[in-house]
Amino acid sequence: MPSHPQKTFRLNTGASIPAIGFGTWQDVHAQEDAVLEALQAGYRHIDTARVYGTEAAIGKAIKKSGVPRDQLFLTTKLWCNSMHPDDVESALDASLADLGTGYVDLYLIHWPAALARGPELFPKGADGKAKTLPEVDYRDTYLAMEKVVKTGKTKAIGVSNFSQAEVERVLETATIVPAVHQLEMHPWLQQKAFADFHRAHDIHITQYSPFANQNDFYGSQEGKLIDDPLLQELGQKYHKTAAQVALAWGISQGHSVIPKSKTPARIRSNFQADFPLDAEDMAKIASMDRKLRLCDSTDMLGRKFFVGLEGARN
């Protein structure tokens, strides 16, 4: 258990989201043990998504842990094959069944892209490319998410991987302002103007991939973020690791962070990243910005993302 109360941030719904969450992308077969370890270490914010295939493992870990449901903040995400408004609630029902809970605290649209309806997560056409559903507007999907809020099956809704223009389009027709936007952000992709936009609209940011390319999925041609000399130097100053400094950088801006690991020592170390950074050190980290975006599903989902944002593909 943590030795001090967990830092939380207040959402526009009035609910609190823990600053440090636990990510569960990849390593499906290791997630039950990893999530149990995280819960025992004190994490109470668990992040998943339908496409990750980890919801059932998370449900088992929660049951084993004995942590009461009302002490947890659970996030899951609607996958692109269920973007049709008629599919939104049934998709959430499937997630809830696997998670073993009657509600989630946050339900997000994973990407602003619709794939063909059906059980296939990545449907393809005869040409081998993503089989999209261009007639489905993510704004209509979001309106269907609003209806689900009224059922009590989710306490809050939001988006993930949207551009500023796409968030603005959602706001034009929404009656519920997104509570959270989950997006890639780390010292190599700082997106200050985009963060300011969210702050102005009272939309909380959750940072995924807070260690940038620590995940081998992204490669390491740029070197590893947590090997950066500045983060290493600051780690020594604060008697922390470079990874903890990267997390503290996000938390210091009022963002929640969702590091992932299946290694017990790293799981526990990441949870000790709630500490203040001096203003001069925040300024030093600002100089690290490379506008380097690592996660882009353009090829996989058949449309261009992040238009107008730093690090977007040309």
Side-chain angles (χ1 to χ4, degrees):
M1 292 295 292
S3 58
H4 56 84
Q6 291 186 70
K7 185 179 184 67
T8 62
F9 296 112
R10 191 172 180 82
L11 302 180
N12 60 27
T13 61
S16 295
I17 184 171
I20 303 177
F22 188 71
T24 62
W25 178 45
Q26 301 178 312
D27 302 314
V28 175
H29 300 297
Q31 285 302 337
E32 184 177 339
D33 289 341
V35 173
L36 181 59
E37 181 74 28
L39 292 170
Q40 291 172 340
Y43 289 78
R44 293 297 179 262
H45 172 186
I46 307 296
D47 180 86
T48 186
R50 191 61 181 168
V51 74
Y52 297 170
T54 58
E55 291 170 325
I58 291 168
K60 292 176 182 177
I62 291 172
K63 187 175 181 180
K64 282 184 179 180
S65 75
V67 175
R69 175 65 184 88
D70 63 3
Q71 292 183 17
L72 298 173
F73 189 101
L74 293 181
T75 299
T76 194
K77 308 178 196 76
L78 177 77
W79 185 238
C80 302
N81 65 339
S82 298
M83 288 284 283
H84 191 286
D86 291 346
D87 297 335
V88 170
E89 185 171 0
S90 59
L92 178 54
D93 287 340
S95 289
L96 295 177
D98 280 351
L99 287 165
T101 183
Y103 69 95
V104 289
D105 297 275
L106 179 64
Y107 197 37
L108 305 176
I109 295 178
H110 205 152
W111 290 88
L115 295 177
R117 301 171 73 181
E120 289 186 64
L121 294 174
F122 299 96
K124 298 185 183 301
D127 59 359
K129 296 181 179 179
K131 190 174 182 181
T132 61
L133 210 59
E135 65 270 24
V136 171
D137 188 334
Y138 54 79
R139 292 201 297 187
D140 295 327
T141 305
Y142 190 84
L143 292 175
M145 301 265 282
E146 292 188 342
K147 293 179 180 178
V148 175
V149 174
K150 297 175 183 177
T151 69
K153 295 177 182 178
T154 183
K155 302 297 185 183
I157 54 176
V159 298
S160 182
N161 298 305
F162 277 50
S163 69
Q164 181 169 321
E166 289 163 343
V167 175
E168 290 171 337
R169 283 194 75 238
V170 167
L171 292 173
E172 288 173 0
T173 55
T175 62
I176 300 175
V177 175
V180 173
H181 189 174
Q182 187 176 127
L183 47 82
E184 179 184 350
M185 188 175 282
H186 43 74
W188 282 351
L189 182 66
Q190 300 191 16
Q191 305 184 90
K192 183 180 184 303
F194 200 30
D196 290 342
F197 165 81
H198 287 82
R199 193 170 295 111
H201 288 85
D202 198 17
I203 300 172
H204 177 76
I205 288 177
T206 294
Q207 298 181 192
Y208 73 72
S209 295
F211 302 140
N213 61 350
Q214 182 64 16
N215 191 317
D216 291 337
F217 179 84
Y218 296 132
S220 58
Q221 64 273 20
E222 301 283 339
K224 295 290 189 181
L225 171 70
I226 63 172
D227 291 334
D228 185 279
L230 175 58
L231 294 185
Q232 293 283 339
E233 175 189 324
L234 293 177
Q236 291 179 1
K237 173 181 175 179
Y238 291 95
H239 304 289
K240 297 286 187 176
T241 66
Q244 289 170 330
V245 173
L247 296 177
W249 171 81
I251 296 168
S252 294
Q253 297 178 85
H255 306 159
S256 53
V257 294
I258 47 171
K260 64 175 289 290
S261 180
K262 58 183 178 180
T263 307
R266 289 177 183 168
I267 290 171
R268 292 178 179 272
S269 176
N270 290 341
F271 194 63
Q272 304 303 317
D274 171 18
F275 61 95
L277 294 171
D278 294 341
E280 63 180 17
D281 294 328
M282 290 292 288
K284 289 178 182 178
I285 295 174
S287 70
M288 292 175 57
D289 194 3
R290 301 184 184 184
K291 297 176 174 51
L292 177 64
R293 186 176 297 278
L294 298 163
C295 182
D296 189 326
S297 292
T298 293
D299 297 332
M300 182 173 64
L301 299 178
R303 57 151 292 186
K304 192 172 183 180
F305 296 102
F306 312 119
V307 175
L309 296 184
E310 294 174 0
R313 290 188 186 180
N314 296 324

